[in-house]
């Protein structure tokens, strides 16, 4: 492919080659992995735990089921699902980033979990699982980092069982202007400083703030999920839409 026709995508506010983004995102998460949990609590004032609890409540997951926690990072959702599905079920913690996977695996083992958990390094765009395999797929705060989101959603739809559901928890668009302004100020003035102070890395947190702004809004993501073949797609705005949970079914 000639240089002028080279596929491009967004890395935060920058335009980069589509083939470069994956490595650039990888370097961000290699950098933040060790401090990821601490920063999540600080950045969200602990509210991320409530967002994840709501996701669990919407999952409908039951004993004996198969769950894929995609871009599962340090395993917060995996830990909850592993307890719900029990020994007769299975949870796959999948992440494209091996640093994040290692942190997640160590954390879950320290919690005494692991017998029903598998760890897979996987790209969301090309999931290495059979068709119609999982009862539930969750992707929490990971979709915005994927280069080709449509391809990833289609891949998730493929590996869902008929009757299964996909839950996408992701930063989205605040519903009210005053919240939008406060959120912008916080994201671009305070967040990178917090990253510099706690994780010695302001650039990665600047990227994370920018990547949130470039992510599709609630209605756009709903349409993308429907385009991928998911049905009865709906979304729930959390904290005024700073975060939204999208849910879709495969029939």
């Amino acid at each position: 492919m000639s240089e002028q026709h080279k596929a491009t995508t967004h890395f935060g506010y920058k335009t980069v080659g589509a083939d470069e983004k994956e490595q650039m995102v990888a370097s961000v998460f290699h950098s933040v992995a060790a401090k990821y949990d601490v920063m999540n609590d600080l950045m969200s004032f602990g509210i991320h735990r409530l967002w994840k609890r709501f996701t669990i409540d919407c999952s409908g997951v039951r004993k004996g089921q198969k769950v894929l926690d995609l871009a599962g990072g340090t395993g917060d959702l995996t830990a909850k699902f592993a307890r719900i599905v029990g020994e007769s079920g299975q949870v796959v913690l999948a992440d494209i980033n091996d640093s994040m996977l290692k942190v997640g695996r160590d954390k879950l083992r320290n919690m005494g979990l692991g017998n029903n958990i598998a760890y897979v390094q996987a790209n969301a765009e090309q999931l290495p699982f059979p068709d119609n395999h999982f009862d539930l797929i969750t992707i929490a705060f990971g979709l915005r980092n994927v280069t080709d989101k449509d391809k990833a959603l289609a891949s998730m739809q493929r590996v869902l069982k008929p009757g299964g559901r996909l839950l996408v928890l992701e930063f989205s668009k605040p519903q009210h202007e005053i919240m939008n302004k406060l959120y912008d100020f916080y994201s671009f003035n305070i967040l990178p400083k917090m990253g510099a102070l706690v994780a010695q890395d302001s650039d990665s947190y600047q990227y994370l703030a920018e990547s949130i702004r470039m992510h599709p809004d609630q209605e756009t993501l709903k349409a993308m999920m429907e385009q991928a073949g998911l049905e009865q797609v709906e979304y729930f705005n959390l904290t005024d839409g700073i975060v939204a949970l999208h849910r879709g079914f495969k029939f």
Side-chain angles (χ1 to χ4, degrees):
M1 192 181 286
S2 67
E3 275 303 309
Q4 58 263 45
H5 294 110
K6 187 177 174 185
T8 60
T9 189
H10 294 286
F11 177 77
Y13 289 162
K14 299 186 187 79
T15 299
V16 299
D19 55 351
E20 299 172 276
K21 178 170 178 174
E22 188 177 311
Q23 194 52 49
M24 294 171 81
V25 170
S27 69
V28 167
F29 283 93
H30 286 311
S31 172
V32 303
K35 298 280 188 180
Y36 190 75
D37 283 339
V38 174
M39 282 298 294
N40 271 355
D41 277 330
L42 286 173
M43 287 188 305
S44 72
F45 308 103
I47 299 170
H48 75 100
R49 296 173 186 275
L50 299 178
W51 299 332
K52 287 169 182 170
R53 191 177 304 161
F54 183 74
T55 302
I56 301 281
D57 291 344
C58 290
S59 71
V61 75
R62 298 189 302 278
K63 197 175 174 66
Q65 290 191 323
K66 286 193 179 84
V67 176
L68 172 61
D69 183 13
L70 187 56
T74 57
D76 283 350
L77 289 175
T78 293
K80 299 279 197 307
F81 288 133
R83 292 187 175 108
I84 295 170
V85 303
E87 291 301 312
S88 58
Q90 187 190 43
V91 182
V92 176
L93 171 56
D95 203 291
I96 197 170
N97 189 281
D98 63 317
S99 296
M100 294 291 284
L101 265 183
K102 284 170 186 160
V103 171
R105 185 184 62 207
D106 291 346
K107 181 168 104 177
L108 292 167
R109 286 177 177 171
N110 287 339
M111 294 167 74
L113 298 168
N115 290 344
N116 61 349
I117 301 172
Y119 302 89
V120 177
Q121 189 170 357
N123 186 330
E125 297 172 26
Q126 298 168 306
L127 292 171
F129 307 109
D131 294 358
N132 308 314
H133 189 67
F134 292 102
D135 298 286
L136 171 73
I137 299 174
T138 58
I139 179 165
F141 307 114
L143 187 61
R144 74 182 187 282
N145 298 309
V146 173
T147 304
D148 189 333
K149 295 173 182 62
D150 292 309
K151 195 173 174 185
L153 289 168
S155 186
M156 292 177 223
Q157 194 270 355
R158 176 185 67 77
V159 302
L160 262 184
K161 288 179 181 176
R165 63 184 78 185
L166 169 64
L167 298 176
V168 181
L169 182 66
E170 189 54 89
F171 292 106
S172 202
K173 186 166 176 50
Q175 296 302 285
H176 295 93
E177 192 53 37
I178 188 159
M179 179 64 90
N180 214 17
K181 286 187 162 58
L182 286 169
Y183 186 44
D184 271 352
F185 178 81
Y186 171 74
S187 298
F188 293 106
N189 294 279
I190 297 170
L191 194 56
K193 290 185 176 69
M194 205 183 284
L197 194 66
V198 179
Q200 285 75 56
D201 183 353
S202 63
D203 289 349
S204 290
Y205 287 93
Q206 178 77 24
Y207 158 72
L208 292 173
E210 291 176 7
S211 71
I212 290 165
R213 299 313 184 282
M214 300 305 293
H215 186 68
D217 66 15
Q218 289 90 327
E219 285 293 330
T220 306
L221 181 54
K222 180 185 176 188
M224 289 167 69
M225 289 174 68
E226 290 168 342
Q227 186 66 36
L230 293 151
E231 298 180 50
Q232 293 182 13
V233 179
E234 58 184 333
Y235 61 83
F236 307 90
N237 283 320
L238 308 176
T239 318
D240 196 54
I242 284 177
V243 164
L245 177 69
H246 283 67
R247 178 171 62 184
F249 295 82
K250 176 178 175 176
F251 296 120

